[in-house]
Amino acid sequence: MPRELLKGNEAIAEAAIRVGLEAYFGYPITPQTEILEHLSRRLPELGRAFVQAESEVAAINMVYGAACTGARVMSSSSSPGVSLMMEGISYIAGTEIPVVLVNIMRGGPGLGNIAPAQGDYFQAVYGGGHGDYKPIVLAPSTVQEAIDMTVMSFDLAEKYRTICMIIADGSIGQLMEPAELPEMRPIQRQNWDWAVNGTGGRQRRILSSIYIEPKDEEIANLRMLKRWQEIQKNEIRFKEYYTDNADFVVVGFGSAGRIALSAVRAARHQGIKVGLFRPITVSPFPFAQLEELSKRVQGLLVVEMNMGQMLQDVQLAVKGNTPVEFYGRPGGVVPFPDEILHEIQRVATSKLSLDADPRMSWLDRATAK
Amino acid sequence: MQKEIIIAGFGGQGVLFAGQVLAYAALDNGKEVTWIPSYGPEMRGGTANCTVVIADEEIGSPLVQNPPLAIALNLPSYDKYEPLMRPGGVLIVNSSMIDRTPKRGDITEILIPANEIAEEIGDKKLTNMVVVGALIASLPELTIADMEQALKNHLPVRHHHLLPKNYQALQRGYDLAREQLAVPQQ
């Protein structure tokens, strides 16, 4: 396919269609409404299902029901809308069915604002809903990655009978970049051995998240963890820039990661040996890869558009091997490369401590006047 | 090579489309490019701006704090971006809507009466193409021919009867900017 100038939100929607999205259920919310808008036009014209539900609560339960048939279904929303979906998301996780969800994150908590943010990392990566489960969470930083991850998310969700969520901040949703869409594939609904799609004489199947007998629920929980073990083994993805001979490495996902790339390049021009590590799967998180990296650098700088959430996973990964520093812009503020460059310079020239709490040190710097 | 451009004005002045035409031209010329709008609760009559980054390699930040190139289509945009310009940068000023004199001595300001030129050509909606033409005089990575091709390639066919006037607008802006830059005509 040729490279086209595509907007992040529309690219996600069109990519989903081309890999066989059969039904979408959602409710409009900025800054992801273009996903819903695009699908509201395209799905009916292809004879597929588009439903604008009365609320996000309704939408996620429609997704739940439709996914039980084995069809490729999805929903998308932005932060407050995703919070509303959490009960349904937990039920989907407990029923072990594949569902693709997209969160185009905005500033919060609460109603917050509609500006780009990464404050939903914990909610996404640690499941968000009640009970013991882990979804796969992908964090694109370009329109092309948003397309590729949409394609991948359906395969991953089906392979592991799990929720696969794409988290991108509002700026990726609104950004236009040259990107290549996948070719249109015919819908090929697989004959899953778990789907409820009409018995046709075979044994009846029941899909549910109810395990009245605790021992049965325990078995289901352990089955899900076994599957998670496989996901951790097979599905970790990340991208490294200039890390080969780096003394320091910036760690950032999504927009924060790509903005940090500009800062890393500028720092390299000034002779600072700095690299960038950008997790693409934030769940499963590239713990082992970061641990390896932490053994050969003098410090890590985590940059996020929140108050230090992925930071905790980075700290877990590095096991105290190297100091970890933090720089964040929460609330919908997008950092400029110059700010991150300044932080790289600070990290490269100060005496770093293994004992300091990077969030609190950052907070002191951010609020000092 | 990396060039960052901010285009700013009132909603309705064609700010976002002007940026998209630049982005399409960059795409057609095999460059990496990003286009990102300011999006907010305000729409018609409010301020609008977009940032276009054109580069040879993978683009990091799609936003820029101190642009080397910018277009200010109205006074609020001029007041906002003139102080933010990178020293040595070029600011295209729509002098039809901005009557104050430049404050910066370390940037080049090109004054283009874009509304009047657009009206002379026959359509006020061409204002954006006039200033984009003026910008091209300071953006050697793209030519007026590239812009014309981008319009032709990406405008829906039903709008193609408007192409000649768009081409005129681009050329008029470009010529006026070249005069002001005192670069000999080719």
Side-chain angles (χ1 to χ4, degrees), chain A residues 107-359:
Chain A
L111 201 53
N113 54 52
I114 60 175
Q118 298 182 325
D120 305 347
Y121 179 91
F122 281 155
Q123 186 195 53
V125 166
Y126 291 100
H130 61 279
D132 219 339
Y133 71 97
K134 288 272 280 180
I136 296 174
V137 184
L138 309 172
S141 75
T142 64
V143 173
Q144 187 65 61
E145 278 185 0
I147 291 170
D148 297 344
M149 285 179 202
T150 302
V151 172
M152 196 167 84
S153 63
F154 287 98
D155 294 331
L156 289 175
E158 286 171 352
K159 184 174 175 190
Y160 298 104
R161 290 181 60 173
T162 185
I163 292 166
C164 187
M165 184 182 269
I166 295 170
I167 57 168
D169 64 80
S171 68
I172 294 169
Q174 299 297 321
L175 181 69
M176 285 182 97
E177 277 185 308
E180 193 182 339
L181 284 162
E183 279 188 51
M184 190 74 163
R185 298 182 205 163
I187 291 173
Q188 284 179 318
R189 200 190 298 179
Q190 308 231 25
N191 193 17
W192 304 111
D193 60 8
W194 48 262
V196 286
N197 47 8
T199 61
R202 65 154 166 76
Q203 191 78 26
R204 201 161 74 106
R205 294 172 186 154
I206 297 174
L207 285 172
S208 165
S209 71
I210 301 171
Y211 296 93
I212 293 293
E213 182 56 52
K215 277 207 155 48
D216 293 339
E217 180 70 77
E218 187 183 44
I219 290 167
N221 277 204
L222 293 176
R223 182 170 63 231
M224 283 185 248
L225 187 57
K226 270 277 175 211
R227 217 175 272 146
W228 181 254
Q229 207 172 28
E230 287 300 303
I231 293 171
Q232 265 189 325
K233 204 159 57 187
N234 302 332
E235 306 301 347
I236 285 168
R237 289 169 174 83
F238 57 90
K239 197 166 173 186
E240 289 179 272
Y241 305 77
Y242 318 110
T243 50
D244 282 350
N245 65 346
D247 293 334
F248 301 92
V249 169
V250 180
V251 188
F253 70 96
S255 278
R258 73 178 287 167
I259 296 166
L261 175 61
S262 296
V264 164
R265 284 191 187 130
R268 282 263 166 189
H269 279 299
Q270 297 178 0
I272 303 171
K273 283 181 159 179
V274 61
L276 172 68
F277 185 95
R278 185 163 63 76
I280 290 174
T281 52
V282 284
S283 172
F285 193 75
F287 285 109
Q289 291 79 4
L290 270 170
E291 187 187 353
E292 272 315 300
L293 197 60
S294 71
K295 290 175 187 161
R296 52 185 172 91
V297 297
Q298 294 165 33
L300 296 177
L301 170 66
V302 177
V303 177
E304 295 181 79
M305 282 149 60
N306 59 37
M307 297 195 287
Q309 299 190 15
M310 183 186 69
L311 169 65
Q312 294 192 9
D313 284 333
V314 174
Q315 285 178 297
L316 265 179
V318 306
K319 296 178 178 161
N321 287 330
T322 193
V324 177
E325 291 281 312
F326 177 69
Y327 182 70
R329 292 307 300 259
V333 180
V334 181
F336 284 111
D338 288 354
E339 300 168 45
I340 302 172
L341 173 62
H342 185 77
E343 282 296 303
I344 293 170
Q345 290 164 337
R346 182 184 65 78
V347 165
T349 53
S350 24
K351 202 174 170 320
L352 303 176
S353 160
L354 275 172
D355 303 320
D357 178 343
R359 274 181 98 211

Side-chain angles (χ1 to χ4, degrees), chain B residues 10-26:
Chain B
F10 287 126
Q13 282 185 305
V15 166
L16 302 185
F17 181 70
Q20 284 180 356
V21 177
L22 278 170
Y24 278 123

Side-chain angles (χ1 to χ4, degrees), chain B residues 98-152:
Chain B
I98 295 165
D99 53 5
R100 77 164 171 81
T101 50
K103 290 179 181 165
R104 291 274 298 264
D106 59 345
I107 60 171
T108 305
E109 303 203 14
I110 311 277
L111 308 182
I112 306 284
N115 292 26
E116 282 85 352
I117 294 173
E119 277 163 27
E120 276 171 36
I121 298 168
D123 193 339
K124 203 181 165 186
K125 283 186 275 187
L126 295 166
T127 306
N128 58 350
M129 288 303 111
V130 177
V131 290
V132 166
L135 179 83
I136 294 299
S138 299
L139 185 65
E141 287 77 13
L142 294 174
T143 64
I144 291 293
D146 293 333
M147 301 306 293
E148 292 180 358
Q149 196 60 44
L151 281 168
K152 198 171 164 189

Side-chain angles (χ1 to χ4, degrees), chain B residues 50-161:
Chain B
C50 66
T51 305
V52 178
V53 180
I54 300 170
D56 289 324
E57 57 176 351
E58 181 179 348
I59 295 170
S61 176
L63 293 170
V64 59
Q65 190 163 26
N66 305 114
L69 295 167
I71 297 172
L73 278 158
N74 64 4
L75 186 59
S77 306
Y78 188 46
D79 288 341
K80 181 172 177 186
Y81 290 105
E82 193 194 30
L84 290 175
M85 293 295 297
R86 193 175 300 171
V90 177
L91 177 59
I92 311 295
V93 180
N94 179 15
S95 57
S96 306
M97 297 192 65
I98 295 165
D99 53 5
R100 77 164 171 81
T101 50
K103 290 179 181 165
R104 291 274 298 264
D106 59 345
I107 60 171
T108 305
E109 303 203 14
I110 311 277
L111 308 182
I112 306 284
N115 292 26
E116 282 85 352
I117 294 173
E119 277 163 27
E120 276 171 36
I121 298 168
D123 193 339
K124 203 181 165 186
K125 283 186 275 187
L126 295 166
T127 306
N128 58 350
M129 288 303 111
V130 177
V131 290
V132 166
L135 179 83
I136 294 299
S138 299
L139 185 65
E141 287 77 13
L142 294 174
T143 64
I144 291 293
D146 293 333
M147 301 306 293
E148 292 180 358
Q149 196 60 44
L151 281 168
K152 198 171 164 189
N153 289 351
H154 302 283
L155 261 191
V157 176
R158 67 179 188 278
H159 294 317
H160 275 201
H161 65 281

